[in-house]
Amino acid sequence: MRLSEFPRPLEDTRIGVHWSPGVADAIGIGPIREYWIPLLKEMGVKWVKLLHIGALQLAEELLANDIMPVVRLYRRQPNSVDSSPGEGTLGRAEIEALEALIAVGVRYFEFNNEPDSGFEWRTQMPPDEEVAMRIVARNAIRDMETILQRGGLPAIPAVSPGKKWDLMAAIIAEGGRDLLGEGVWWAIHNYDFNHPVNYPYDPVNQEGIPLTEEEYNRLGPDAWKGPHWGHRTLEFVNAHRREGKNPGDTAVDDPTCWNGYEYFAHLSLQHLGYHIPILSTENGPVVGEDNDPRYPTTTPEIHRDKVVDMCRIMMGTHEEYSQAPDYYFCTAFWILGNRVLGSRSGRWEPQAWVSARWPGERLPVVDALRELPKQAWVPLGNATEPPGESGSRVYGVVRGGARHHILLHNVHYNAERVIREDETYEFTGVPAGTYTLSVVGASVERTGIEVDGHSPVVVNLEIAAAPTAESEIEGQVKGGAGHTVYLHGPVAREAILDEEERFHFDHLPAGEYVLTVSDTDIEEHIVLDGRNQVHLILEVESPSPEWTYTVEDGGPAPGFGVVRCRVKGRPDLDVHLWTDGWEGVTRRTGTKPEYGPDVCEFAPLSDGTYYIHPEGVDVQATVTVTSERIVWVTFTPVEEPAESAPPPRESVIYGRVENGAGLIIQLEGVIGEREQVVSEDGRFVFEALPAGTYTLRLPEVDVVREGIEVDGRNRVEVSLVAPLMEEGWEYTVDVGEPAAFGIVRCEVWGQEDMPVHLWTSGWEGVVRRTGSKPEYGPYVCEFAPLGAGTYSIEPEGLNVRARVEVDGRHVVWVRFRPTHIPHVSPTTVKVYDVYLWPARMPQTDAEFLAVLRYVARFVPEIGTDVNQAAKARQVLVLGMLKPRQEKALRLAGSKVAQINDDWAQVLEDLIARGQPIP
């Protein structure tokens, strides 16, 4: 089946979105017709991916508006070693939905999702990936036949982003080769992982081009912080750029990007000799991603710009990047909506384009696509079609050309191959004509190749050896010690100037170069011929510094190095400390309020020489640290005549919190937000405050005092009362960066050398001690390697236990933090027999009906108040309580049971037994 025979929508832009992660028509067809279909058309969307549940009316509506639906026949955990219907292959319900959807005109169907992930298996995923892949392929052949026999077009299942499972090879090995030419397409999930649109071909990845300070500042602070890496300094980013460059990489080598479709196109050519359609069914940038530390976090603005670039590439209207290949049919940007489209999952809300969490209830990309000029896609003929019944074979050898792309083309024909590892290539089914053969990116081509349409033609080529690269640039930058010299041209280099202020770049090829020096106006243009040598003497003009610093002794140290830093008059300012071979840490002034509002501290430190630089200050301090003495570094602005005195910032808000020792107290007002921990004697103090109205807040116990007025000079005392509390622990679970196997990292705040036990059903587990992974801090330990599954993790003696899901391909962070538990007296009088606590709402009709029957049978008190629940002898929780809530109830003598899964079955069993809780 040729690419042109696959259906496409009229006026196809190739722009597509993923509708939602839930039931397709959950909000009803009325709002969809009135608002959402017009919105799709305004944005130029021509393809929509959706789940089959509730999809029939929505699919009809899409087709009526010339929008192509792509439907996933959804089954939870669709993979199994059991290939029977409803287990490893489509069941009766999915086949009935398939037939109904085909009847209204739907053609494109998925039947599986990311089978390389253990989360998508209902049986244990075989640990041998080759075995698992063969099982998936075997089941896929049966499902493809089911869909093809009914007139649908089935997909080769999409694998996890960046995963290199070759399901096409596995399907061929299982006897399914003929199916691949009968209407099968390839589903892919080419998320960009905060990579740029031209990754991996961009100069950062290829050459390690450094980020300039101007670029760093222009993107703003939100672009350099995120869940994986926290706050990233300019130095941190550039260190990763230097160490993380990958010269010569293609999307075949690294498909974790928008261009990842090239990897699957490569496999098509390798196995079939022609392209099949590639459709994204999830892809694009996601707000908040910071997977690769070399690139900025995906802010809403960066997200908008990248999606617009991708849409222009799909339509062929981009000024810089060429049109996407003909075989790449559409995008499926994740996701149009979540809660607004009726999904009950909160997990995906931060990634939805339309959401109440965004200003104006939508991401900037929505309006950007509305305003983007639309143009229907025009085929370029740059895909390789299946061979016809006739045509010549054009083949040969390209010396030095392994893995390069080679094009055979004329005005009527355009075909592309990848030169094999043995440097051979082959085109089949070539019609008669005169052709040009070109090696992409190598300036090698042969013109005037005559083909008669039946006889074989041999054309051998050779990629010339690289030109001489023996030129050198060396010199001195007077006054430039510590600066970085950058060289840009046919190759890129950089060098940090040492005390001798000299630099040297050798083995440079011919070409035009530009040499610059960081933080200066120096710019030299140089022409090299591949053999010559250039010597430069440059000089850095030294501007008068705006800041000075002093280093003073601060008294005896507590057995380790301590540096205290004051940046005069600059509270809430980032200060970076580092040393040779260590990227260092950042602290914020004001985090050591006992020494003043503009002071921070670095400790513990080992003996050595350290460098300190406050953000925005034009000098850098160098200090020698020992374990015997504290070092004070004070940065002071150089005095300049002031036109007028700045408003005073001398007010103080202070006081006591009864029962509040150890609680967090926050101050909000014209200075933004500050917070500190209430001292052991219940005291707090906020200094250096300008005039304005302030609010004090104890967030852990919901105590607030508003309307505190200061004039910039006065002192205001405030007394607060916190409810009696007991110390407890709670935890959070976060999924981190991709990994080759499952990893759990555990942090128990403030607890060094504490045993932590991890186990799972059928395995007694292992014990690690906090501090055994010192690169992550003194309170962290690690469990690895782990397979996919559910694990329990418990620090010794803290009476708290976490359950975590491990998918076998990501790091999972479990962080235990001390908290406070509302004090409930163990002698609380019991006035209820049963208290029903709905920690989450029912998600299915069966759950809802079971709850109604339970309430009718046991007549419980219903609510979510810990003090009211403590008055009950038995508490049944639908969902999961916070650990501190559960502990408070148990301390009050209540019997507590929690149901997180299978509500309907558990509730029906309780009703049948006449027992209110398990």
Side-chain angles (χ1 to χ4, degrees):
M1 190 167 171
R2 302 179 68 80
L3 296 179
S4 59
E5 296 176 291
F6 283 83
R8 293 179 182 267
L10 293 175
E11 300 296 317
D12 185 12
T13 61
R14 300 199 287 180
I15 299 171
V17 295
H18 194 296
W19 180 252
S20 87
V23 175
D25 63 352
I27 61 172
I29 201 64
I32 291 173
R33 287 190 183 124
E34 293 168 10
Y35 177 77
W36 293 96
I37 294 293
L39 176 63
L40 292 174
K41 295 169 79 170
E42 287 177 31
M43 293 194 298
V45 171
K46 282 292 182 176
W47 300 75
V48 172
K49 157 71 181 292
L50 60 153
L51 306 186
H52 85 271
I53 304 169
L56 194 61
Q57 272 192 296
L58 175 55
E60 286 186 284
E61 199 67 32
L62 292 170
L63 289 165
N65 285 275
D66 296 322
I67 300 173
M68 184 67 69
V70 179
V71 177
R72 175 183 167 191
L73 299 170
Y74 178 79
R75 291 185 298 141
R76 187 172 180 270
Q77 297 177 312
N79 296 284
S80 173
V81 296
D82 179 357
S83 62
S84 60
E87 291 294 322
T89 56
L90 294 172
R92 177 180 176 182
E94 291 80 41
I95 294 174
E96 289 177 353
L98 166 72
E99 292 171 342
L101 288 162
I102 289 175
V104 301
V106 178
R107 289 293 177 267
Y108 292 93
F109 292 94
E110 285 185 291
F111 53 82
N112 202 337
N113 182 69
E114 299 187 357
D116 55 289
S117 167
F119 279 121
E120 298 288 349
W121 286 70
R122 62 183 61 203
T123 58
Q124 182 70 33
M125 178 180 176
D128 186 328
E129 286 200 342
E130 289 298 323
V131 173
M133 207 180 323
R134 295 290 287 268
I135 292 171
V136 173
R138 197 174 305 132
N139 292 342
I141 290 172
R142 292 182 60 177
D143 285 339
M144 287 177 177
E145 289 173 337
T146 297
I147 294 170
L148 287 168
Q149 288 165 3
R150 288 162 173 78
L153 304 172
I156 297 175
V159 296
S160 302
K163 189 77 172 183
K164 288 191 171 184
W165 263 32
D166 187 353
L167 281 175
M168 179 177 280
I171 288 168
I172 292 172
E174 291 296 318
R177 183 187 185 93
D178 290 345
L179 291 175
L180 300 177
E182 295 179 8
V184 172
W185 50 281
W186 211 326
I188 67 170
H189 292 172
N190 53 326
Y191 290 96
D192 73 7
F193 289 93
N194 80 294
H195 289 139
V197 174
N198 57 340
Y199 185 90
Y201 309 104
D202 62 291
V204 172
N205 186 58
Q206 294 288 325
E207 304 168 17
I209 293 295
L211 179 69
T212 68
E213 187 169 2
E214 187 276 330
E215 292 171 320
Y216 181 88
N217 292 332
R218 174 171 52 80
L219 289 173
D222 287 348
W224 307 110
K225 63 183 180 183
H228 286 95
W229 301 98
H231 171 69
R232 286 174 285 157
T233 63
L234 177 62
E235 294 79 5
F236 177 87
V237 173
N238 280 335
H240 278 272
R241 289 190 174 195
R242 286 192 300 272
E243 297 164 6
K245 57 187 175 184
N246 300 287
D249 258 17
T250 69
V252 175
D253 304 302
D254 182 1
T256 58
C257 57
W258 153 257
N259 290 309
Y261 59 79
E262 294 179 10
Y263 170 71
F264 299 95
H266 162 78
L267 294 180
S268 290
L269 291 177
Q270 178 180 322
H271 298 310
L272 301 177
Y274 59 87
H275 290 119
I276 63 173
I278 294 175
L279 283 71
S280 292
T281 54
E282 295 177 23
N283 82 317
V286 175
V287 172
E289 280 189 327
D290 68 334
N291 302 70
D292 193 327
R294 298 175 295 170
Y295 301 93
T297 301
T298 305
T299 63
E301 293 72 29
I302 291 174
H303 174 271
R304 171 199 63 205
D305 295 344
K306 288 205 282 191
V307 170
V308 167
D309 278 343
M310 293 170 185
C311 292
R312 286 175 170 159
I313 291 169
M314 295 304 284
M315 293 186 292
T317 61
H318 204 288
E319 300 84 357
E320 182 178 355
Y321 303 121
S322 58
Q323 179 175 306
D326 292 355
Y327 60 74
Y328 185 28
F329 273 38
C330 67
T331 66
F333 295 121
W334 182 265
I335 52 177
L336 180 62
N338 183 53
R339 292 200 187 281
V340 294
L341 290 175
S343 170
R344 295 175 178 173
S345 172
R347 176 183 179 187
W348 310 117
E349 191 66 13
Q351 300 172 6
W353 286 18
V354 181
S355 167
R357 68 181 288 117
W358 306 119
E361 300 189 348
R362 59 188 179 275
L363 281 170
V365 69
V366 174
D367 291 333
L369 289 188
R370 281 169 159 166
E371 298 167 4
L372 180 67
K374 313 304 189 299
Q375 175 177 300
W377 160 79
V378 176
L380 296 179
N382 57 359
T384 303
E385 295 278 12
E389 296 180 359
S390 61
S392 292
R393 176 182 178 226
V394 178
Y395 66 102
V397 175
V398 181
R399 300 298 180 196
R403 299 176 64 195
H404 279 70
H405 287 240
I406 187 168
L407 299 176
L408 183 67
H409 55 98
N410 62 19
V411 294
H412 305 293
Y413 180 93
N414 192 324
E416 177 184 354
R417 297 286 186 274
V418 177
I419 301 170
R420 304 182 185 105
E421 294 294 339
D422 63 359
E423 301 182 340
T424 62
Y425 71 92
E426 179 182 37
F427 296 89
T428 57
V430 180
T434 302
Y435 293 85
T436 296
L437 190 66
S438 307
V439 180
V440 178
S443 300
V444 173
E445 72 176 19
R446 179 76 57 81
T447 60
I449 301 168
E450 296 293 339
V451 175
D452 61 14
H454 55 84
S455 304
V457 178
V458 179
V459 182
N460 295 326
L461 302 172
E462 183 173 356
I463 296 177
T468 303
E470 296 299 331
S471 284
E472 297 181 33
I473 301 174
E474 58 90 20
Q476 181 181 17
V477 182
K478 294 180 179 180
H483 289 259
T484 302
V485 179
Y486 298 106
L487 184 68
H488 301 281
V491 297
R493 304 279 178 81
E494 64 180 71
I496 298 175
L497 296 169
D498 58 17
E499 293 180 355
E500 296 183 356
E501 303 172 339
R502 295 190 174 276
F503 63 91
H504 183 204
F505 302 115
D506 56 9
H507 300 296
L508 300 173
E512 296 183 2
Y513 292 82
V514 177
L515 183 143
T516 60
V517 180
S518 64
D519 301 320
T520 73
D521 294 328
I522 294 174
E523 182 176 303
E524 294 288 326
H525 293 260
I526 305 162
V527 177
L528 301 178
D529 61 9
R531 294 182 175 82
N532 59 329
Q533 296 181 337
V534 174
H535 179 75
L536 299 173
I537 300 293
L538 308 169
E539 186 170 353
V540 174
E541 294 184 8
S542 300
S544 299
E546 297 179 2
W547 288 77
T548 61
Y549 72 90
T550 58
V551 180
E552 300 174 292
D553 178 62
F560 47 78
V562 178
V563 173
R564 293 189 181 126
C565 177
R566 169 175 281 118
V567 186
K568 284 191 174 181
R570 295 294 180 90
D572 206 33
L573 181 74
D574 282 345
V575 181
H576 185 210
L577 176 141
W578 74 100
T579 188
D580 296 328
W582 177 51
E583 64 191 20
V585 293
T586 298
R587 297 285 184 264
R588 192 172 282 268
T589 56
T591 52
K592 292 297 284 184
E594 60 267 39
Y595 301 112
D598 50 8
V599 176
C600 59
E601 180 177 281
F602 300 90
L605 300 172
S606 56
D607 293 358
T609 300
Y610 292 83
Y611 311 104
I612 307 172
H613 181 226
E615 184 176 15
V617 172
D618 62 351
V619 294
Q620 168 185 307
T622 303
V623 297
T624 300
V625 176
T626 72
S627 59
E628 298 175 355
R629 308 295 294 178
I630 295 171
V631 177
W632 265 99
V633 183
T634 302
F635 290 86
T636 306
V638 176
E639 294 295 334
E640 294 183 3
E643 294 182 6
S644 61
R649 299 174 63 100
E650 300 171 6
S651 282
V652 177
I653 297 176
Y654 69 103
R656 295 191 59 166
V657 182
E658 187 177 344
N659 306 324
L663 289 178
I664 292 173
I665 185 167
Q666 298 171 339
L667 180 71
E668 301 168 359
V670 295
I671 44 76
E673 181 180 298
R674 295 187 197 169
E675 72 176 30
Q676 58 185 254
V677 177
V678 178
S679 66
E680 292 183 4
D681 61 358
R683 296 186 181 277
F684 65 91
V685 58
F686 292 96
E687 300 177 305
L689 302 175
T693 303
Y694 292 85
T695 297
L696 281 172
R697 189 184 306 277
L698 300 172
E700 295 163 288
V701 292
D702 296 326
V703 172
V704 179
R705 177 71 58 82
E706 299 177 325
I708 305 168
E709 300 281 349
V710 300
D711 61 11
R713 300 186 188 276
N714 61 332
R715 296 169 61 87
V716 177
E717 183 176 9
V718 180
S719 296
L720 302 172
V721 178
L724 286 173
M725 307 293 287
E726 294 180 1
E727 191 70 25
W729 289 80
E730 64 181 6
Y731 65 87
T732 59
V733 179
D734 299 294
V735 178
E737 65 270 21
F741 41 76
I743 298 174
V744 172
R745 292 193 184 121
C746 175
E747 179 182 52
V748 187
W749 183 253
Q751 302 295 317
E752 297 187 50
D753 199 37
M754 168 171 281
V756 180
H757 183 204
L758 178 138
W759 74 98
T760 189
S761 176
W763 177 52
E764 65 184 14
V766 293
V767 175
R768 298 284 185 265
R769 288 185 175 270
T770 57
S772 55
K773 290 297 284 185
E775 59 268 39
Y776 298 110
Y779 313 133
V780 176
C781 58
E782 181 177 282
F783 300 88
L786 300 174
T790 302
Y791 293 82
S792 297
I793 184 166
E794 181 174 5
E796 184 176 284
L798 299 186
N799 196 28
V800 61
R801 177 186 300 172
R803 284 171 62 82
V804 296
E805 296 290 337
V806 176
D807 64 4
R809 54 192 177 90
H810 285 86
V811 175
V812 178
W813 272 96
V814 184
R815 295 179 172 91
F816 292 92
R817 292 287 190 273
T819 186
H820 297 83
I821 299 169
H823 178 76
V824 179
S825 171
T827 60
T828 301
V829 176
K830 304 302 181 185
V831 296
Y832 313 126
D833 182 41
V834 183
Y835 190 93
L836 183 64
W837 185 312
R840 69 171 175 85
M841 299 308 293
Q843 296 185 347
T844 66
D845 291 342
E847 288 183 351
F848 183 74
L849 292 173
V851 171
L852 292 180
R853 285 193 286 270
Y854 179 91
V855 172
R857 173 65 177 82
F858 297 109
V859 194
E861 188 71 14
I862 302 173
T864 57
D865 185 289
V866 69
N867 291 305
Q868 291 299 311
K871 298 176 182 178
R873 282 179 282 277
Q874 304 174 90
V875 179
L876 180 64
V877 183
L878 302 179
M880 298 297 290
L881 292 176
K882 293 181 179 178
R884 62 183 178 180
Q885 295 170 327
E886 181 186 4
K887 183 175 180 181
L889 294 176
R890 294 190 188 280
L891 288 173
S894 298
K895 186 176 180 181
V896 181
Q898 304 185 74
I899 314 172
N900 198 30
D901 297 309
D902 299 323
W903 282 14
Q905 184 61 51
V906 174
L907 292 175
E908 296 293 355
D909 289 346
L910 294 176
I911 294 166
R913 296 200 304 267
Q915 181 178 330
I917 69 173

